[in-house]
């Protein structure tokens, strides 16, 4: 039993360290900031590992539209190692985005529709969700209500779906209105938790920091914002533009309506920042602890060994903690979205 525990820890550590590509400063020391930011950011290829001085990556398609030369589709291999292709190049000073050199002088940012690492990760998550949902639906099509409860994967999916519906959606929105919002909220929950869990896997097809990208969390927050406000009834809008407060708070200066209207936009903003900050924070801590191993190795065998053991122990603890955070963030985002929808459907006050 002890041997199995040791092998599992060793395997987890190896998988965690394997894809790490360290950035170095001019004096050969590890640049922790650049290393962490590089792994948290998006990319035009999917870095697998570094074997010696050889970087093993999966090239991804680059799709650009230039106002000067039109559409361009090519492999990201053409831009690797600082190369330029048809005037396009990756600018490390601009968060590794693609720019175009015009007439050999000025540079412009083309319209970028590339299939980046985060986009591929989203496609993988969507594929996993489709397979899971279709397998579950197929089982229910072949069985009657009087049959035994499902087991295995279908049983797990039923348990998860009932947990989200009965513990989050129904109490937050209300028995009368919750059914139309179940598909959206279930999709949000399973998308976030699957993305978070895949992000903790250090090798392909995991490792992308999708929910740590603020554009992704912003899109999810905008979806909730649209659902909430397009579903709001007249009582909801009445409470915003003419709330039941003393008249001097509404006229001649619409103080309370302005505050309520401002609250419409702060709710999705809180959803966006909460999910983004928690996922970035967790990944940053894990990557920083990984970098400590390489920094400690430069301090001699004694210090390096002790610091590496401590860092690996903390890193394994953080990985298990991130498993809990992955579920909590999906739960909280879904719960707050359901609460905001429920607030948009208040009952008429007689």
């Amino acid at each position: 039993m002890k041997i199995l525990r040791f092998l599992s820890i060793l395997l987890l550590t190896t998988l965690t360290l394997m894809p790490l590509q360290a950035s170095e400063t001019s004096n050969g020391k590890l640049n922790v900031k650049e290393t962490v930011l590089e792994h948290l950011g998006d990319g035009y290829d999917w870095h697998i590992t570094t074997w010696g001085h050889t970087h093993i990556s999966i090239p991804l398609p680059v799709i650009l539209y230039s106002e000067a030369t039109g559409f361009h589709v090519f492999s990201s291999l053409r831009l690797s190692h600082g190369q330029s292709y048809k005037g396009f190049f990756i600018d490390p000073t601009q968060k590794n985005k693609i720019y175009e050199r015009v007439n050999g002088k000025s540079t412009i940012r083309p319209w970028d529709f590339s299939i980046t690492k985060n986009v591929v990760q989203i496609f993988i998550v969507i594929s996993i969700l489709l397979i899971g949902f279709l397998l579950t639906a197929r089982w229910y099509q072949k069985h009657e209500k009087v049959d035994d409860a499902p087991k295995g994967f279908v049983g797990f999916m039923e348990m998860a779906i009932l947990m989200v519906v009965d513990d989050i959606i129904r109490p937050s929105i209300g028995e009368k209105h919750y059914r139309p919002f179940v598909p959206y909220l279930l999709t949000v929950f399973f998308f976030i938790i699957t993305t978070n869990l895949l992000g903790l896997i250090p090798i392909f097809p995991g490792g992308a920091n999708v929910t740590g990208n603020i554009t992704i969390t912003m899109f999810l927050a905008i979806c909730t914002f649209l659902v909430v406000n397009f579903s709001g009834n007249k009582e909801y809008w009445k409470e915003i533009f003419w709330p039941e407060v003393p008249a001097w708070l509404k006229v001649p200066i619409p103080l309370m309506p302005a505050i309520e209207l401002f609250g419409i936009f702060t709710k999705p903003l809180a959803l966006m920042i909460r999910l983004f900050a928690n996922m970035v924070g967790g990944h940053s801590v894990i990557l920083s602890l990984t970098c400590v191993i390489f920094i400690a190795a430069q301090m001699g065998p004694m210090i390096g060994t002790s610091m590496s053991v401590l860092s690996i122990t903390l890193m394994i603890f953080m990985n298990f903690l991130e498993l809990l955070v992955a579920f909590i963030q999906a739960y909280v985002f879904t719960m707050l979205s359901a609460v905001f929808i429920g607030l948009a459907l208040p009952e008429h006050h007689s």
Side-chain angles (χ1 to χ4, degrees), residues 181-200:
F181 305 100
V182 169
Y184 167 70
L185 293 172
L186 282 176
T187 302
V188 167
F189 176 82
F190 282 104
F191 174 81
I192 294 176
I193 193 171
T194 306
T195 303
N196 291 348
L197 293 176
L198 274 180
L200 295 177

Side-chain angles (χ1 to χ4, degrees), residues 63-134:
I63 306 172
L64 304 171
Y65 174 74
S66 169
E67 296 181 357
T69 56
F71 275 101
H72 297 268
V73 180
F74 53 90
S75 172
S76 61
L77 278 175
R78 297 185 179 274
L79 300 179
S80 61
H81 307 295
Q83 297 179 6
S84 176
Y85 178 72
K86 293 185 178 180
F88 298 104
F89 65 97
I90 297 178
D91 191 348
T93 64
Q94 299 293 332
K95 299 181 180 179
N96 290 321
K97 299 299 182 181
I98 294 179
Y99 280 77
E100 182 183 14
R101 188 173 287 107
V102 181
N103 298 326
K105 298 179 181 179
S106 61
T107 58
I108 60 173
R109 178 87 165 96
W111 290 91
D112 196 343
F113 305 98
S114 302
I115 308 299
T116 61
K117 180 180 178 180
N118 283 346
V119 175
V120 175
Q121 183 77 94
I122 291 174
F123 289 159
I124 294 173
V125 170
I126 292 173
S127 301
I128 293 173
L129 293 181
L130 282 175
I131 293 172
F133 290 152
L134 291 176

Side-chain angles (χ1 to χ4, degrees), residues 20-35:
L20 184 64
Q21 176 185 353
S23 299
E24 297 182 351
T25 58
S26 57
N27 58 4
K29 294 183 178 180
L30 178 67
N31 191 327
V32 177
K33 178 182 177 181
E34 291 296 329
T35 301

Side-chain angles (χ1 to χ4, degrees), residues 40 196 209-218 268-285 318 322 325 329 333:
L40 290 178
N196 291 348
N209 188 31
V210 175
T211 46
N213 188 321
I214 199 167
T215 57
I216 304 299
T217 60
M218 180 179 67
L269 183 64
L271 286 176
M272 176 183 71
I273 299 298
R274 178 189 296 271
L275 179 59
F276 165 75
N278 279 279
M279 299 315 300
V280 168
H283 284 277
S284 299
V285 171
M318 283 301 302
E322 280 295 293
V325 172
Q329 291 308 311
F333 192 100

Side-chain angles (χ1 to χ4, degrees), residues 116-308:
T116 61
K117 180 180 178 180
N118 283 346
V119 175
V120 175
Q121 183 77 94
I122 291 174
F123 289 159
I124 294 173
V125 170
I126 292 173
S127 301
I128 293 173
L129 293 181
L130 282 175
I131 293 172
F133 290 152
L134 291 176
L135 287 176
T136 304
R138 185 179 180 183
W139 187 93
Y140 281 100
Q141 287 179 344
K142 293 183 177 180
H143 294 77
E144 301 295 334
K145 293 183 178 180
V146 295
D147 294 342
D148 293 337
K151 300 179 181 179
F153 175 77
V154 178
F156 172 79
M157 289 295 293
E158 180 182 282
M159 177 191 68
I161 291 172
L162 289 177
M163 182 271 294
V164 175
V165 174
D166 294 339
D167 295 344
I168 302 177
I169 301 177
R170 184 182 295 175
S172 301
I173 300 178
E175 188 72 31
K176 185 178 179 181
H177 303 291
Y178 81 95
R179 290 186 180 277
F181 305 100
V182 169
Y184 167 70
L185 293 172
L186 282 176
T187 302
V188 167
F189 176 82
F190 282 104
F191 174 81
I192 294 176
I193 193 171
T194 306
T195 303
N196 291 348
L197 293 176
L198 274 180
L200 295 177
I201 301 175
I203 58 176
F204 183 84
N209 188 31
V210 175
T211 46
N213 188 321
I214 199 167
T215 57
I216 304 299
T217 60
M218 180 179 67
F219 175 77
L220 293 173
I222 289 175
C223 289
T224 296
F225 171 80
L226 294 176
V227 170
V228 168
N229 289 284
F230 278 103
S231 303
N233 56 24
K234 62 180 182 180
E235 292 294 325
Y236 168 70
W237 293 108
K238 179 183 176 181
E239 290 179 0
I240 292 175
F241 292 106
W242 197 256
E244 294 183 0
V245 295
W248 62 272
L249 291 174
K250 296 181 286 188
V251 291
I253 301 177
L255 180 61
M256 286 304 299
I259 294 175
E260 293 289 342
L261 189 62
F262 182 72
I264 293 178
F265 300 97
T266 56
K267 291 174 183 176
L269 183 64
L271 286 176
M272 176 183 71
I273 299 298
R274 178 189 296 271
L275 179 59
F276 165 75
N278 279 279
M279 299 315 300
V280 168
H283 284 277
S284 299
V285 171
I286 293 175
L287 289 169
S288 299
L289 291 172
T290 307
C291 291
V292 170
I293 299 174
F294 296 95
I295 295 174
Q298 302 173 356
M299 300 179 180
M302 185 68 69
I303 298 178
T305 302
S306 58
M307 289 296 294
S308 296

